[in-house]
Amino acid sequence: MASKFYDKFMGWRVWLAKSSFKRMNLSCFIQKWRFRWPNTYRRTLLKSIFPILVLISFVTVLLVDNFIPAAAQIPRQEIRGVWMTNNDFDILRDRVKVQDAMSKLRRLNFNTVYPVVWNSGYVMYPSAVAQKAGIQPFVFKGKDGHDILADVINQAHRRGLLAIPWFEFGFMAPPTSELAMNHPEWLTQKRNGGQTSMSAAGEVVWLNPFHPHVQRLISDLVLEIVTKYDIDGIQFDDHMSLPHEFGYDKYTVSLYTKETKNPPPSNPQETAWVRWRADKITAFMVRLNQAVKARKPNVIFSISPNYYDFAYKFQLQDWLAWIRLKIVDELIVQVYRPNLPSFTSIISRPEIQEAQKVIPTGIGIMTGLRNNAVPMSQINSQVRTTRQRGLGVAFFYYSSLWDYDREQLDERQAGFQALFPNPALRARIE
């Protein structure tokens, strides 16, 4: 697809060049005629061709403005993605299975994969940053001893799919991880001193997003991925945040007191206290975006948060501000609800409508869990409702597309084929 877009773009450039050259030749031609034809004939000729010259000039300026810079002019193409999680690890570590997965996705007219690269306090690729930080005494490798992430990216690109690694756990980590145990000073806590909360991944602790050493670690890991691999983007989800109960550690209390001349309020949902912490996370994301773009300006800076009211009030994640600050290139809002009216209400919210006017925007749809299969009828109705609003989709997660449901494999794949009967490849921006 990239080559087709490039060819089309170059074709327009050639057309413009030829048009300009012809216009220049026409001007020279007219100059010569000034000495060969009477003044009255020249005036008649110039009057007849002047509107044509004006039109050519206008079209030339318009097209040049629309194509330079090219990176900013890619149309907002429909997202048809799928996350590849730790639950897909048996596939991810096997070259043949990865090849089969990418071929299936391409055949079913998907266009984007989001492979996990940061989960449970560990990275899914050989990392000098993790080794130096002492947070990972092992390396995830494929069956052939190969780099799993590099293989997924290469296989995806061969089939015209975008590969956007997914920084899944954000500031979250298990309390038994080397990251948590080796760096307890990096953790934040609740007002009562508790350091853990319950999540879909079980009991977790939270890295302090306001601590400079935490920010440096996350930034270094992200930039390592951006620099080392031929990625199309990097994605951060609802864990690039902090549950509102947290932030009462010594470092954050001292910082807040210094900046506001008051200690943090006892109510974790007090308006100014929520805003202060959310703004600090926003400031970090702005710096992270700037660092990523400095390395690779065309890399997609993608986020996949919860719906806005919940994300801001309960996770201190002001993603609407991120969009308005123009640091987000792609938004996928997670809406994992079986009830269609509730699902429809959330995806129709004004902040989603605002986002889709400026960036590719999609909805995260649940396709099943190991112990909770989602019927194709529910998936179909949610996808149809989403696409009717001009929104893309991303499914959570690959294996649950067809492995966990009682429906036959052929029937299940036919259902996804019916969702996307025509291809909609997304152009890679080199």
Side-chain angles (χ1 to χ4, degrees), residues 9 126 419:
F9 172 61
L419 291 179

Side-chain angles (χ1 to χ4, degrees), residues 366-376 378-379 400 403-407 412:
M366 175 70 70
T367 48
L369 300 170
R370 285 181 175 174
N371 58 352
N372 184 21
V374 174
M376 196 66 213
Q378 176 180 312
I379 297 168
S400 70
D403 286 353
Y404 302 152
D405 199 274
R406 290 187 294 272
E407 296 163 316
R412 188 83 168 180

Side-chain angles (χ1 to χ4, degrees), residues 13 46 70 130 184 234 261 311 325 372 422:
R13 290 185 61 183
L46 288 174
I234 186 80
K261 311 305 180 187
L325 288 169
N372 184 21
N422 301 308

Side-chain angles (χ1 to χ4, degrees), residues 24-48:
M24 181 177 64
N25 283 347
L26 184 58
S27 299
C28 294
F29 184 67
I30 292 171
Q31 290 294 328
K32 291 179 182 179
W33 277 22
R34 291 181 61 189
F35 300 100
R36 298 183 182 180
W37 298 95
N39 289 339
T40 54
Y41 186 87
R42 291 204 309 269
R43 284 195 295 269
T44 302
L45 176 63
L46 288 174
K47 285 182 180 179
S48 64

Side-chain angles (χ1 to χ4, degrees), residues 78-355:
E78 180 185 5
I79 301 167
R80 298 178 183 177
V82 61
W83 283 285
M84 301 192 79
T85 75
N86 274 20
N87 289 333
D88 298 307
F89 188 67
D90 285 344
I91 296 171
L92 293 172
R93 65 191 294 267
D94 188 314
R95 292 181 188 271
V96 175
K97 291 181 179 179
V98 169
Q99 180 178 350
D100 178 66
M102 300 304 157
S103 295
K104 283 180 181 176
L105 292 174
R106 178 66 184 87
R107 189 170 62 250
L108 296 172
N109 290 325
F110 283 70
N111 58 28
T112 312
V113 292
Y114 302 95
V116 61
V117 289
W118 172 246
N119 180 286
S120 301
Y122 303 108
V123 293
M124 306 293 291
Y125 62 94
S127 170
V129 172
Q131 185 178 14
K132 182 179 179 181
I135 64 172
Q136 189 159 343
F138 60 90
V139 176
F140 282 107
K141 295 182 179 179
K143 286 177 60 177
D144 299 331
H146 63 279
D147 185 327
I148 294 172
L149 179 57
D151 180 55
V152 171
I153 293 170
N154 291 337
Q155 299 266 25
H157 286 169
R158 288 175 188 172
R159 288 155 187 83
L161 305 173
L162 295 195
I164 301 179
W166 169 38
F167 211 76
E168 181 184 7
F169 264 50
F171 295 113
M172 187 174 75
T176 55
S177 64
E178 274 80 3
L179 174 58
M181 293 189 295
N182 293 351
H183 298 283
E185 74 281 8
W186 290 0
L187 304 181
T188 186
Q189 65 184 40
K190 302 175 184 177
R191 188 168 180 270
N192 64 7
Q195 290 187 314
T196 65
S197 66
M198 294 304 297
S199 72
E203 188 178 31
V204 296
V205 293
W206 289 85
L207 299 173
N208 185 353
F210 320 119
H211 197 293
H213 291 167
V214 172
Q215 294 183 356
R216 178 64 181 272
L217 173 67
I218 299 298
S219 297
D220 286 350
L221 288 171
V222 170
L223 293 177
E224 183 177 49
I225 296 169
V226 171
T227 304
K228 186 176 179 179
Y229 296 95
D230 182 25
I231 64 172
D232 299 294
I234 186 80
Q235 186 183 79
F236 310 96
D237 70 5
D238 57 316
H239 302 127
M240 207 69 166
S241 62
L242 185 69
H244 71 281
E245 303 96 333
F246 290 83
Y248 291 93
D249 57 276
K250 290 182 180 179
Y251 179 88
T252 305
V253 169
S254 175
L255 182 63
Y256 181 82
T257 302
K258 179 181 177 180
E259 292 189 4
T260 67
K261 311 305 180 187
N262 292 297
S266 58
N267 177 11
Q269 289 191 301
E270 194 273 331
T271 302
W273 177 223
V274 168
R275 171 51 62 191
W276 184 88
R277 288 174 293 167
D279 285 348
K280 290 293 183 185
I281 295 175
T282 294
F284 169 69
M285 293 302 291
V286 169
R287 294 192 297 273
L288 183 59
N289 173 271
Q290 292 171 344
V292 167
K293 297 294 185 176
R295 297 289 179 94
K296 288 184 180 177
N298 293 326
V299 161
I300 296 169
F301 200 86
S302 174
I303 61 170
S304 54
N306 277 306
Y307 69 96
Y308 183 70
D309 279 356
F310 183 88
Y312 177 71
K313 293 177 182 178
F314 296 100
Q315 296 179 298
L316 312 177
Q317 191 179 42
D318 191 0
W319 57 258
L320 186 56
W322 303 357
I323 292 174
R324 291 172 176 173
L325 288 169
K326 302 185 186 303
I327 66 167
V328 178
D329 301 313
E330 174 189 271
L331 169 69
I332 300 174
V333 182
Q334 299 179 42
V335 187
Y336 301 147
R337 299 195 173 196
N339 180 271
L340 186 59
S342 176
F343 176 90
T344 303
S345 175
I346 291 176
I347 70 171
S348 303
R349 294 182 64 87
E351 61 270 14
I352 295 179
Q353 296 175 17
E354 178 179 338

